[in-house]
Amino acid sequence: MHDPSTFLIGPPLAELARLRREHGVVWVDEPALLGSPAGPGYWLVLRHADVERVLRDPGTFSSSLGGTQIRDPATGEDLTYVRRMMLNMDPPEHSRLRRMLSRSFTPRAVAALTDRIAGHASGLVDRMLTSGGGPDQGTVDFAKEVAADLPLFTLAEVLGVPAEDRWLLFDWSNRVIGWQDEDYASSAAFDGTGGTELARQALALRPAPDATGRMPDPRSRSGMPDLYAYAHLLAEHKRRAPGSDIMSILMSQLDGPDGAVSPEEFENLFWLFAVAGNETLRNGIPGGMIALLSHPEQQRALRAEPDLLDGAVEEMLRWWTPVMVFRRTATAPVTLSGIRISAGEKVVVSFLAANRDESVFSDPDSFDVRRAPGRHLVFGHGPHFCLGAVAARTQMRALFGEVLRRTSWLEPAGDPALLRSNFQRGVKRLPLAWRR
């Protein structure tokens, strides 16, 4: 359950189901792996009701006490650093930043973003259908050439990042999410060609692997100097010349009880959007495509009834579950599914197991585009429910709607390559064959 190499062939769904039925909460050892030291171990929470309980009770299950990643920060300084990110805050600090962000997603900004998402999705499908084959059929690496680019375009819109710099976001999220995978840990897809002066200044600070081939810990400030340099320069630019993007709206909030966003807060919010805002969808889109490719009868049903798309997107997200786990730390003794958890122990919720809980989803291992959306936990639950959920769903509907409307059939052109990670159910490559 802890070894990221396990997930190179897909998550152990049958074992998770057995443990969910028989125990609900299980202890997982935390041995030294892939250059990371051994940890104290953690409680893995597998049932839907227990996962919801953990996520809605930050007083008992803290995001701040030890951060939200399974492995502990290496030093006290690193722990202090991650606690400055909204993802790793508890109320009231978390509530203040969330209120300010929520006010920044104005109806006008969201409507404009929705229109631009539709345009980007159409352009990506144009590119897919005019490369890698003839006029009536072809092949494409759907994960890299299609699915990866739409979240980057969208994030560039939200953050006010020039579109020509968007592949910096790709590299940053690779390094943070893919630190356990040799293909992603030192990601350098962006070489500065065609980028802005801001990008070139940041690129000069990109860290290099050490003598052992390892990169600095991306969860430390010193591990991502290029991201922070770019965020700092972008913040200065926005203060001088604010745009209509959501981050500009956020930074213009100068009055009221919440005050203004500090430069450090902006930099950490930029980190959060650039990484967390990218990865869920970047892997949710190819995960949804794998669902269609491995269930041809469901692809036929969706083509025959396009009105099923909204529900099908929810089912793609549930069935794949791109973010598999998230951590909290117990602040006091507590009992879950009959298991006594001590204060200070790590509590790791399994979204993957909860989204296949038989008590909530009938026949949970099947992929069914007619399934009622239900209460899947892909975007979390409680105070930390994902602010980007609406944008993520909009992107998936736009892209799959375009792909299905403009092709007659989709099938595998090879096996997918999965990410070595016990956190993100990632897809590095997905060979896809399409026909008009």
Side-chain angles (χ1 to χ4, degrees), residues 237 243 255 319 376 410:
H237 173 73
D255 302 315
W319 185 84
H376 73 69
L410 305 165

Side-chain angles (χ1 to χ4, degrees), residues 203-282:
L203 204 57
L205 300 175
R206 176 186 282 166
D210 62 19
T212 67
R214 297 197 64 80
M215 294 283 282
D217 188 340
R219 295 184 311 160
S220 64
R221 190 176 179 94
S222 61
M224 301 294 288
D226 45 341
L227 181 150
Y228 280 101
Y230 191 95
H232 184 78
L233 293 168
L234 186 66
E236 289 183 338
H237 173 73
K238 287 184 181 300
R239 291 198 188 280
R240 292 192 305 269
S244 60
D245 57 274
I246 287 164
M247 281 298 180
S248 288
I249 297 170
L250 173 68
M251 293 187 69
S252 70
Q253 296 182 37
L254 300 176
D255 302 315
D258 293 327
V261 174
S262 70
E264 183 182 63
E265 286 173 336
F266 176 83
E267 292 168 10
N268 286 327
L269 286 169
F270 184 91
W271 188 103
L272 179 64
F273 273 73
V275 177
N278 183 16
E279 282 301 317
T280 297
L281 193 61
R282 172 179 158 189

Side-chain angles (χ1 to χ4, degrees), residues 52-74:
E52 284 194 331
R53 178 184 170 190
V54 169
L55 295 179
R56 69 172 176 258
D57 183 4
T60 307
F61 302 98
S62 170
S63 297
S64 175
L65 200 57
T68 52
Q69 297 301 296
I70 293 177
R71 61 183 178 129
D72 293 315

